[in-house]
Amino acid sequence: MTRRAKKATSPRKGRVGATLASPSLQGRAQDIALIDHLIERIDQGGSTLVISGEPGIGKSALLDVARHRANAASPS
């Protein structure tokens, strides 16, 4: 009998709705400042945040920061 290798899972899988520590990024102060600005003006009609770029440059990590900051800023 052969054993099948267990699939690796993403660290984010299964954590929907979980409260995680806010991630931080090196060298992204300008991007995070823009995210904070967009979050601050959400009650003025909102805006759209588009994150694009080459694979591996940190798009998902930046989106995680945006999600955490938006959740922290929203009234419960």
Side-chain angles (χ1 to χ4, degrees):
M1 176 162 82
T2 59
R3 296 178 98 184
R4 290 175 42 180
K6 192 174 187 180
K7 280 188 175 182
T9 59
S10 167
R12 288 188 291 253
K13 264 190 179 176
R15 293 190 180 195
V16 175
T19 56
L20 303 173
S22 179
S24 63
L25 299 175
Q26 298 294 321
R28 292 293 189 122
Q30 188 174 6
D31 297 327
I32 293 171
L34 174 60
I35 289 168
D36 287 340
H37 174 72
L38 294 174
I39 291 169
E40 288 171 2
R41 58 173 291 199
I42 198 75
D43 61 341
Q44 299 170 10
S47 1
T48 301
L49 174 64
V50 177
I51 300 176
S52 64
E54 298 296 319
I57 64 167
K59 296 179 300 288
S60 295
L62 191 58
L63 188 57
D64 284 343
V65 168
R67 180 176 49 90
H68 281 278
R69 293 176 94 83
N71 285 337
S74 71
S76 296

